Amino acid sequence: MKRVVVTGLGALTPLGNTVEETWKNAVAGKSGAHRINRFDPSAFRTQIGCEIKDFDPTKYLERNEIKRSDLYTQYGIYAASQAMEDSKLDLEKIDPFDIGVIWGTGQGGMLSFEDEVQEYAVNGKENPRYSPFFVPKILVNMASGLISMKFGLRGINYTPVAACATGNAALIDAFNYIKLGKAKVFVAGGSEAGITEASIGGFSSMKAMSTRNDDPEKASRPFDIDRDGFVMGEGAGAIILEDYDHAVARGAHIYAEMVGGAMTADAYHMTATHPEGLGASRAMTDALKEAGFKPADVDYLNAHATSTPVGDISEMNAVNNVFGDDLKSLHVSATKSMTGHLLGAAGALEGILSIKAINENKIPPTINVENMDPQIPSGIQIVTNEALDKEVNVAMSNTFGFGGHNAIVVFKGV
């Protein structure tokens, strides 16, 4: 089997419009949350989110590309362009059929869907005037397609959709195709633009999101006894995965090696995770087995931990089940406390933060932990409120999604 390494990173997040800015603010424990600006949220239970700031799509997109694409696609192209620049791939020296794109999203073009349907409902029933770009803009596969067109990449190209496990599913698929020799390089990751009226309204009605509207920066508080739901985030993360021999031959900078990935299903509930974390436990165990590591080898776990009362506990129960007596060598943090929950892009962003933890030997904190939930197993070492300096050789990143999807990835230093 081929080895798979990381040779490029790109990010557009509530903490910054580059990987370095995002990492700097994550390590500093900065929150990306505030009152929603994209629309007036006054009518909703939840009125806060982690929005992208100062987004200028013209840095990487032509004006006709902007006109024809939804915001989630623009986010994706933006992050993918950064990653391609960072990788220093010379596309004139690589067969374009050897480079693929596997790009995920949970909701796709939700903003475009809302805009067009509202326009029809208010003004269009007598004379419907849907945009000719309406359907392409809302399709969940359009970001992967347009990223491939942007760079002329003709290899494997599609979009996995596994709710909030989507980002890791994209990484795992790309990892497996390279291992099998089906491609030499992938642009893998995900993007989401979920801060829209329908999305906020829908999650609000489920009572899944925090209503700490008077204190947005402290609303996302994984593991804290007073957590009351997640905070919606948006943005994109892009990772260039490459065949090791190919990367070495061209003198690429290698950030880390992806060594394991596993997916399972809870088969339990439409939205809730299994209370004992059965599916999550198996996915973590399988990912470690593929990586050739024991639980004691893992230095850092970037937890899915969204700040929901049920989800955080079930995940920590799973961690306790898998690591047991080896918890003393593991540190855990939940970066969603700062970025919010990027849904289908979460795994890609948290994969980047895990890779940066390996490169920088530093673990970003879980902010807003004031009173640890006593239901969390006592042996789990959660990094709270301040970053931790620690040698990180192996990092695991967890993602779980509505529908019972579990996807786990493992990286190691090189």
Side-chain angles (χ1 to χ4, degrees):
M1 289 285 187
K2 304 284 188 179
R3 293 173 63 188
V4 182
V5 294
V6 176
T7 58
L9 301 173
L12 174 67
T13 81
L15 296 184
N17 295 356
T18 65
V19 171
E20 290 307 318
E21 186 181 5
T22 297
W23 174 250
K24 177 182 177 181
N25 286 326
V27 168
K30 183 176 180 179
S31 171
H34 54 73
R35 182 177 174 83
I36 291 171
N37 293 317
R38 184 162 295 132
F39 57 88
D40 181 1
S42 301
F44 296 106
R45 294 178 71 253
T46 293
Q47 300 167 13
I48 57 177
C50 291
E51 293 176 305
I52 298 296
K53 288 88 172 172
D54 303 317
F55 176 57
D56 178 11
T58 61
K59 183 172 182 178
Y60 290 111
L61 288 88
E62 302 295 331
R63 297 208 174 269
N64 67 325
E65 293 176 309
I66 297 168
K67 179 180 179 181
R68 297 176 181 182
S69 60
D70 183 81
L71 191 58
Y72 99 94
T73 296
Q74 295 172 29
Y75 287 170
I77 293 173
Y78 194 100
S81 297
Q82 286 183 14
M84 288 293 284
E85 285 182 355
D86 187 40
S87 73
K88 296 180 173 57
L89 283 160
D90 187 344
L91 297 180
E92 293 184 357
K93 295 181 179 180
I94 305 173
D95 184 342
F97 288 97
D98 284 336
I99 309 179
V101 181
I102 302 181
W103 195 266
T105 183
Q107 298 188 79
M110 178 69 80
L111 186 60
S112 295
F113 184 85
E114 283 184 31
D115 288 345
E116 293 282 346
V117 171
Q118 288 175 356
E119 173 65 23
Y120 170 75
V122 174
N123 300 313
K125 290 192 175 182
E126 297 299 323
N127 182 27
R129 295 173 60 90
Y130 280 96
S131 166
F133 301 114
F134 172 52
V135 172
K137 287 169 77 171
I138 68 173
L139 292 177
V140 294
N141 69 302
M142 195 48 61
S144 68
L146 291 181
I147 290 169
S148 73
M149 294 175 207
K150 182 79 173 175
F151 299 102
L153 312 180
R154 293 191 167 91
I156 297 165
N157 185 296
Y158 67 95
T159 293
V161 180
C164 304
T166 296
N168 274 3
L171 296 176
I172 292 168
D173 283 1
F175 170 67
N176 286 332
Y177 278 122
I178 294 173
K179 283 178 61 182
L180 292 170
K182 301 289 186 179
K184 288 185 171 63
V185 183
F186 272 103
V187 182
S191 55
E192 204 77 79
I195 300 180
T196 74
E197 292 177 80
S199 185
I200 295 296
F203 280 108
S204 287
S205 69
M206 294 175 65
K207 300 182 179 180
M209 294 194 299
S210 173
T211 56
R212 196 181 286 256
N213 298 318
D214 59 343
D215 196 5
E217 293 187 356
K218 292 188 177 181
S220 184
R221 46 199 311 116
F223 313 128
D224 188 88
I225 189 66
D226 294 320
R227 67 192 182 282
D228 68 332
F230 77 88
V231 176
M232 183 73 78
E234 62 174 359
I239 297 177
I240 306 299
L241 293 176
E242 187 169 351
D243 172 85
Y244 173 78
D245 293 334
H246 187 269
V248 170
R250 69 179 186 86
H253 171 70
I254 296 175
Y255 285 96
E257 181 174 357
M258 184 170 173
V259 289
M263 293 184 280
T264 62
D266 279 349
Y268 171 73
H269 189 273
M270 184 182 294
T271 57
T273 52
H274 192 284
E276 298 303 318
L278 293 185
S281 297
R282 178 58 180 266
M284 284 188 277
T285 299
D286 286 353
L288 285 174
K289 182 179 179 180
E290 180 172 48
F293 290 135
K294 297 176 181 178
D297 297 321
V298 182
D299 302 298
Y300 171 51
L301 169 65
N302 189 303
H304 182 69
T306 61
S307 188
T308 59
V310 174
D312 291 5
I313 298 300
S314 67
E315 181 178 10
M316 290 304 100
N317 285 337
V319 170
N320 192 51
N321 292 340
V322 171
F323 288 87
D325 293 338
D326 296 316
L327 285 168
K328 59 183 177 294
S329 61
L330 177 72
H331 283 87
V332 177
S333 74
T335 51
K336 289 185 182 72
S337 60
M338 298 172 284
T339 66
H341 190 0
L342 273 65
L343 306 182
L349 171 56
E350 287 152 21
I352 291 169
L353 293 174
S354 299
I355 292 163
K356 290 293 290 182
I358 291 171
N359 290 177
E360 304 294 334
N361 288 315
K362 190 179 289 287
I363 296 175
T366 311
I367 65 170
N368 301 325
V369 181
E370 298 172 350
N371 297 291
M372 188 72 71
D373 190 327
Q375 292 187 73
I376 294 173
S378 59
I380 298 177
Q381 302 180 88
I382 297 174
V383 179
T384 60
N385 302 319
E386 292 185 3
L388 174 69
D389 291 321
K390 178 188 179 181
E391 184 175 349
V392 180
N393 297 307
V394 178
M396 173 182 284
S397 178
N398 288 356
T399 57
F400 313 117
F402 283 179
H405 306 292
N406 308 301
I408 314 296
V409 297
V410 181
F411 300 97
K412 75 170 186 177
V414 292

